Each structure stands twice: as C-alpha cells, then as structure tokens.
C-alpha cells in the first residue's frame, strides 16, 4: 500500500516522462495535422495537460489504493 506522498511522487514521475515525450512529439504531430501553433502556445497546452495528468494519475492511484 502506498502513502499519499508516494502516490504523488509516482504520479509526478509518470507525468514528467509524458511531458518530455510530448515536448518531442508535439511539433511533428501538429505539423502533420496542419495545426498552426507557436512554440509558446504548444508549451502552454503541454503544461496545462501536464497538471491535469498529475491530478488524474494521483486520483486514480489513490482510488485503487483504497480498494
């Protein structure tokens, strides 16, 4: 059973790796889909989804940890 702190650390680590993958693959994906965005806009979208992903991962982990 994980502590809340360990769940948060796991969620942040998991999402940080996803953040790095997104930074690498966002530009070519947006280019393929013909979406025009500046790098600052791509960065803001990535950061917003990163915070949402941390919250999602933490909540799911805590839910399954209580079961």
């Amino acid at each position: 059973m994980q502590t809340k702190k360990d769940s948060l650390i796991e969620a942040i680590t998991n999402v940080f790796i996803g953040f790095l993958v997104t930074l690498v693959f966002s530009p070519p994906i947006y280019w393929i889909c013909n979406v025009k965005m500046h790098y600052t806009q791509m960065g803001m979208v990535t950061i917003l989804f990163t915070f949402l992903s941390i919250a999602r991962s933490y909540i799911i982990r805590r839910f399954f940890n209580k079961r």
Side-chain angles (χ1 to χ4, degrees):
M1 187 171 251
Q2 279 186 329
T3 65
K4 290 180 181 181
K5 180 182 174 185
D6 288 340
S7 294
L8 183 60
I9 290 170
E10 178 184 340
I12 290 171
T13 302
N14 183 23
V15 172
F16 179 73
I17 292 168
F19 177 79
L20 295 177
V21 170
T22 301
L23 285 179
V24 171
F25 288 101
S26 286
I29 289 171
Y30 288 140
W31 180 77
I32 290 168
C33 295
N34 200 28
V35 176
K36 307 279 189 232
M37 291 183 102
H38 295 290
Y39 284 105
T40 53
Q41 291 172 312
M42 282 188 269
M44 289 302 296
V45 169
T46 301
I47 289 168
L48 290 172
F49 278 112
T50 297
F51 284 119
L52 289 172
S53 187
I54 289 170
R56 175 189 45 84
S57 295
Y58 178 77
I59 290 166
I60 291 169
R61 171 60 65 181
R62 295 311 303 162
F63 173 78
F64 281 101
N65 204 23
K66 286 184 178 182
R67 289 182 39 176

